[in-house]
Amino acid sequence: MPPYDCLVVTNQLPWGFCYEMMTEIAAALTARGLRVRKYVINSSRMDDQAQAFAKDVVQQVQRNPHLFIVDMMNRRRLNTLDGLRQIPIFNVFTDAPYVMHEDVLSMTASSVIGYSDRNHREYLEDMGVGCRHVFFPHAGPEPDAGWPASRDRPIPILLMAHFRSRPSRRDFLASFGATDPLVLRLIDTTLDRIIDDNREPYIAFKDSCRDLSVDWRQAFTAETLARLVGELTIWVERETRYRILRQLDGLPVHIAGVISDDYFDWRPETLVRLGAQTTTECLALLRQSKILCNTIAVRPDGAHERLWYGVASGAAVVTDASALVAGDFRNGRDMFFFEKGYRRVRDTVETMLHDTDLDAVTTAARHIYRRRHTWNRRVSILLEAVNRSSPKQATANGRG
């Protein structure tokens, strides 16, 4: 067998689309003419399975010194292993880099970070990350050519997320204890900027520091800052999901995900709880859903894979108007967008249900999505970042 050109490392867990995303990246690279091998390692630690994998990778590198690796967020520190220190490793960051602060700082010069929101670049530069980093937004599979029409989809409204209990804003601020009042004010104003002004959490935090004359470099260590912005991000995600679900009360909403026992402060009468679903089950649900509600509030210039899986499955999507998404899709024609502050979620969804030709919307969205947001499109960024041309590209350019 000829030597491999690329090794793709992934996990395969019940919840989340990591396995599907990395498998589709592998398929997209294969379609470019590369020889690709995929590894599935569920442990984030270098246990016996991971050690055996590392040994095999070194052998693969000996067969092809131009080999490169695609991994997820550097959880296993592959770039620190003997024999792999100089190998280009493209790390797909599905989360914000401050959530993975230690993983980011452990990168070596041969690593590449593919970040999912354009704003993340500022954090990486502020932290002095030495490796290369490129904008690599979430994408999705090729659209399903034979999806059911809207009239044949039994689920009117689908939300795919976990709904964890979140403290009220007052209790959230109180959870920081006897913190300097100025810092509490900083946190409070940052929350406003994220939710009401559609600002990325780290950028919102820096803006609040500037307005309150706080030197963030002096006031916070890098670790403290990453942990704080990460906590704000989690609270905002839970708060926006709460606002959306609260406004949809009384509509036929189905939830695929965990709902905390003490989540509701009202009595939901039309909510259908599907419970935690595997990714295979989630994909089947998307094909049965007329509308997918998916918030990406903390990625105002990025996207989320669930959004793209919805488009690829023929569901009409309502989401946040991130600069990336709104730059390609038209509100009310190819996709629907929440207003800032989530003030008219119910009106938007009812318009979609009762006054919109959803089949026309999904057909229009499919054409844009296929041209711009599949993994087949995204891997061009990856190949350029690791300084590789696919064999098909090389041949087309007269180098084959």
Side-chain angles (χ1 to χ4, degrees):
M1 178 181 292
Y4 292 104
D5 301 303
C6 173
L7 309 179
V8 174
V9 186
T10 183
N11 58 27
Q12 189 170 17
L13 303 176
W15 176 261
F17 286 99
C18 293
Y19 176 79
E20 284 74 13
M21 293 167 70
M22 298 298 279
T23 298
E24 285 149 13
I25 288 173
L29 291 170
T30 300
R32 298 291 182 100
L34 290 139
R35 294 176 293 273
V36 181
R37 181 172 183 175
K38 183 177 69 177
Y39 297 83
V40 179
I41 304 176
N42 288 328
S43 173
S44 62
R45 296 170 290 115
M46 291 306 291
D47 56 13
D48 291 344
Q49 180 191 13
Q51 292 286 358
F53 152 76
K55 182 178 180 181
D56 185 58
V57 171
V58 171
Q59 293 175 349
Q60 299 295 336
V61 172
Q62 290 172 348
R63 296 190 65 198
N64 180 5
H66 299 292
L67 178 143
F68 67 95
I69 299 173
V70 182
D71 195 10
M72 294 197 76
M73 298 185 286
N74 197 35
R75 301 305 301 274
R76 300 173 191 86
R77 308 291 198 273
L78 299 181
N79 50 357
T80 66
L81 301 179
D82 290 339
L84 300 184
R85 298 181 191 278
Q86 305 304 317
I87 302 301
I89 302 179
F90 188 97
N91 294 275
V92 180
F93 267 69
T94 56
D95 288 317
Y98 41 79
V99 176
M100 316 297 297
H101 179 72
E102 293 183 1
D103 300 318
V104 167
L105 295 187
S106 69
M107 297 287 183
T108 62
S110 61
S111 300
V112 182
I113 295 175
Y115 55 88
S116 60
D117 186 288
R118 283 192 182 93
N119 297 281
H120 294 163
R121 175 182 177 181
E122 187 165 335
Y123 175 82
L124 296 170
E125 292 180 346
D126 285 347
M127 294 300 111
V129 175
C131 68
R132 189 176 182 191
H133 38 85
V134 296
F135 181 43
F136 191 67
H138 288 197
E142 289 297 307
D144 183 349
W147 63 43
S150 179
R151 65 175 179 275
D152 298 324
R153 293 171 176 253
I155 299 175
I157 307 164
L158 178 66
L159 278 73
M160 292 170 51
H162 294 319
F163 287 80
R164 308 287 190 185
S165 296
R166 97 274 182 261
S168 68
R169 183 160 172 157
R170 176 181 295 178
D171 290 342
F172 178 65
L173 292 171
S175 70
F176 291 92
T179 304
D180 186 329
L182 180 59
V183 175
L184 290 179
R185 187 179 172 197
L186 172 62
I187 294 170
D188 201 29
T189 57
T190 299
L191 294 178
D192 285 337
R193 281 189 159 91
I194 300 171
I195 298 176
D196 297 329
D197 297 338
N198 202 216
R199 299 285 282 166
E200 195 277 332
Y202 177 68
I203 305 299
F205 182 82
K206 286 183 62 177
D207 287 348
S208 295
C209 285
R210 181 198 62 228
D211 289 353
L212 295 173
S213 300
V214 174
D215 185 337
W216 61 272
R217 292 187 183 276
Q218 293 294 323
F220 305 96
T221 65
E223 292 76 13
T224 299
L225 179 134
R227 185 171 62 252
L228 175 58
V229 177
E231 289 178 7
L232 299 183
T233 299
I234 292 171
W235 188 86
V236 167
E237 287 180 328
R238 294 185 180 185
E239 172 66 14
T240 54
R241 288 173 184 172
Y242 172 86
R243 292 189 186 190
I244 290 168
L245 190 57
R246 187 69 182 87
Q247 285 203 45
L248 296 179
D249 184 40
L251 296 181
V253 173
H254 290 58
I255 290 183
V258 174
I259 306 175
S260 297
D261 292 338
D262 59 347
Y263 186 84
F264 296 101
D265 53 11
W266 76 94
R267 185 188 297 273
E269 297 182 354
T270 59
L271 181 68
V272 178
R273 306 185 192 206
L274 301 174
Q277 302 285 300
T278 66
T279 50
T280 300
E281 291 167 333
C282 286
L283 291 172
L285 288 171
L286 286 169
R287 283 178 54 86
Q288 300 174 57
S289 301
K290 300 179 190 295
I291 296 171
L292 172 68
C293 287
N294 186 73
T295 175
I296 50 173
V298 296
R299 290 180 187 157
D301 201 353
H304 192 279
E305 82 275 1
R306 283 197 292 269
L307 179 163
W308 301 130
Y309 277 94
V311 175
S313 300
V317 174
V318 53
T319 188
D320 298 276
S322 84
L324 174 72
V325 178
D328 287 334
F329 295 87
R330 300 158 295 178
N331 188 22
R333 298 184 65 179
D334 326 301
M335 197 171 286
F336 286 77
F337 298 132
F338 299 124
E339 286 192 2
K340 288 183 179 180
Y342 303 91
R343 287 180 285 271
R344 299 187 62 197
V345 174
R346 188 185 187 93
D347 290 345
T348 299
V349 173
E350 287 188 325
T351 296
M352 295 176 72
L353 276 177
H354 305 302
D355 300 308
T356 302
D357 181 350
L358 294 182
D359 289 324
V361 170
T362 56
T363 299
R366 174 173 57 191
H367 295 312
I368 300 168
Y369 164 72
R370 191 170 206 167
R371 290 196 308 268
R372 300 279 294 165
H373 298 290
T374 64
W375 288 117
N376 284 327
R377 301 298 180 187
R378 292 283 192 268
V379 294
S380 295
I381 302 171
L382 189 160
L383 289 169
E384 182 179 354
V386 296
N387 195 26
R388 297 290 187 271
S389 293
S390 69
K392 289 184 180 180
Q393 289 172 321
T395 300
N397 292 330
R399 298 193 301 273

